[in-house]
Amino acid sequence: MKTQPEPEYRHGSPARVGVLLVNLGTPDAPTAPAVRRYLAQFLSDQRVVEIPPAVWKPILHGIILRTRPAKSAAKYASIWTPEGSPLAVWTRKQAELLQANVSAHGLALTVRHAMRYGNPSIAGELDALKAAGCDRILVVPMYPQYSGTTTASVMDDVHHWQLRQRTLPELRWVRQHHDDAGYIEALARRVQDHWAREGRGDHLLLSFHGVPERTLTLGDPYHCHCYKTARLLGERLGLGKDALSLSFQSRFGKAKWLEPYTEPTLQALAKKGVQHLQIFCPGFPADCLETLEEIAIEGRQVFLAAGGQRYDHIPCLNDHPAWIDALRGLVEHHTAGWAVRTDAQPRPADLESQRQRALALGAKV
């Protein structure tokens, strides 16, 4: 097996610990050709589409990639920013803020970010970490709720990179953090910040990304993780069952997906008499097409058309300080025994964070 050349090694160079944040991905531009390249990679992943390739490829290349890119490009154009794709912008900022945060807390770590589909690639960023002298790397898939369609796909790509390496770094990865105390606290703070500015609505709807229902019957824990996140967030916010509900968005194809679906739920809530609805997407750490276009724009139209009066989209965690603190807590926990501290003793805030995380990990489902 042919391996790629190793980076130059200088004897006596201190080993470093790397952290790679990995998000889903985004086109390089809001154009049909760029979207076509992105979708071709995304929808060719057999973790995402579990249809036999002999059946799926003619559909993908003969129909979908001929018709969908132009429609999707128009949607991307509606949410594109001067800095680029919102998902790319926020993921980059999260990596930069996490780097500053861990350094301020005395952790000698090198933080980078990558996309499972598109740029920057996982392979390219792992190469960069290795070239920087990182012989231990923590991979953090930015999916709080584990799914074979997302988290496992990230690790597939990491392992594919490993096949081309002669000298392998030690690897760890964060499987899920759907019930992490810091993550739940960050979600609650984001909602409470919105309440402080805009007032509290009649109902809070938590919309998670949808996956085919068959993944649940095949043993994927995603459905359960979403419900646990919703329960813990509801408890933290003090919301009763009548004030909080959950749904799943972004269906694709004719197969049955996890229910309840977001669009019919929006209609049902409006017809039920909910006048002021607030909607939040806990499964998306960064705002993207699915939150800014599908939820913030299309969802608003659906709810208002069904009789609702006010519709608030609560932004994702993005650069919220509580989320960056939560990320640092996750990284610190998962690099235990690896990361070199630049200060002598853990800080009291760090010890309390570790205690809360341990309590959360021991909580009952």
Side-chain angles (χ1 to χ4, degrees):
M1 175 170 47
K2 186 176 181 180
T3 58
Q4 66 185 44
E6 289 292 313
E8 181 181 355
Y9 176 72
R10 295 182 180 180
H11 290 280
S13 299
R16 299 186 61 84
V17 176
V19 176
L20 185 64
L21 307 183
V22 184
N23 219 318
L24 183 74
T26 179
D28 294 324
T31 63
V35 172
R36 184 175 296 108
R37 288 193 299 271
Y38 169 71
L39 289 179
Q41 184 184 12
F42 176 42
L43 297 177
S44 293
D45 187 343
Q46 292 186 51
R47 290 279 193 181
V48 175
V49 181
E50 298 185 61
I51 299 173
V55 176
W56 174 240
K57 284 186 177 180
I59 299 173
L60 175 62
H61 293 279
I63 303 174
I64 295 174
L65 293 180
R66 292 177 181 271
T67 60
R68 190 168 179 181
K71 296 178 181 178
S72 294
K75 293 183 177 183
Y76 274 107
S78 71
I79 55 96
W80 212 259
T81 75
E83 296 177 88
S85 163
L87 181 66
V89 171
W90 286 123
T91 304
R92 183 180 69 250
K93 287 183 178 180
Q94 287 170 350
E96 292 170 349
L97 290 169
L98 178 59
Q99 180 69 78
N101 191 296
V102 296
S103 298
H105 283 79
L107 292 170
L109 299 167
T110 300
V111 181
R112 297 185 71 93
H113 73 282
M115 297 295 179
R116 172 61 184 92
Y117 315 103
N119 297 302
S121 70
I122 290 174
E125 293 306 304
L126 287 172
D127 285 342
L129 286 171
K130 190 174 175 182
C134 296
D135 64 354
R136 294 173 174 179
I137 298 174
L138 173 68
V139 180
V140 187
M142 299 291 273
Y143 311 112
Q145 297 75 27
Y146 176 92
S147 173
T149 63
T150 53
T151 312
S153 179
V154 166
M155 296 315 298
D156 286 346
D157 209 36
V158 171
H159 296 320
H160 187 260
W161 172 82
Q162 287 182 292
L163 291 173
R164 303 190 300 276
Q165 307 304 307
R166 182 173 298 278
T167 302
L168 293 174
E170 289 186 65
L171 283 172
R172 293 179 184 172
W173 57 290
V174 179
R175 185 176 183 269
Q176 74 260 338
H177 54 275
H178 65 290
D179 57 358
D180 176 76
Y183 165 64
I184 298 299
E185 180 63 22
L187 294 175
R189 293 274 298 279
R190 173 59 93 187
V191 173
Q192 290 172 330
D193 286 351
H194 185 85
W195 286 350
R197 292 192 308 271
E198 304 294 337
R200 183 165 161 174
D202 302 328
H203 192 88
L204 178 64
L205 176 63
L206 304 179
S207 183
F208 292 85
H209 195 284
V211 296
E213 187 182 60
R214 68 187 298 271
T215 62
L216 174 61
T217 61
L218 290 172
D220 197 304
Y222 179 75
H223 179 267
C224 298
H225 286 185
C226 292
Y227 271 89
K228 186 171 185 182
T229 295
R231 176 174 64 80
L232 292 175
L233 178 56
E235 291 172 357
R236 170 63 180 78
L237 293 171
L239 295 176
K241 293 183 178 179
D242 291 340
L244 177 76
S245 56
L246 176 154
S247 64
F248 296 94
Q249 64 188 80
S250 306
R251 284 181 289 166
F252 177 75
K254 297 181 179 180
K256 187 175 182 181
W257 285 44
L258 293 180
E259 295 180 311
Y261 301 141
T262 294
E263 184 173 330
T265 299
L266 291 173
Q267 295 170 330
L269 287 170
K271 293 176 180 178
K272 186 180 177 181
V274 172
Q275 296 295 298
H276 181 187
L277 178 68
Q278 294 174 325
I279 187 166
F280 187 40
C281 301
F284 297 86
D287 271 311
C288 56
L289 182 71
E290 286 81 1
T291 63
L292 296 174
E293 199 280 333
E294 182 178 358
I295 294 300
I297 298 176
E298 293 183 6
R300 178 187 308 277
Q301 295 170 350
V302 170
F303 180 71
L304 298 181
Q309 297 300 310
R310 181 176 171 183
Y311 180 94
D312 294 351
H313 165 244
I314 300 176
C316 292
L317 293 171
N318 296 333
D319 60 350
H320 196 289
W323 170 231
I324 305 305
D325 282 341
L327 273 177
R328 188 250 308 159
L330 278 172
V331 166
E332 187 169 7
H333 175 73
H334 285 274
T335 57
W338 273 9
V340 176
R341 298 200 67 91
T342 58
D343 54 359
Q345 298 293 332
R347 305 181 183 198
D350 298 340
L351 294 174
E352 176 60 20
S353 176
Q354 293 170 13
R355 188 184 73 82
Q356 292 293 334
R357 184 161 286 99
L359 290 173
L361 291 173
K364 294 182 180 180
V365 177

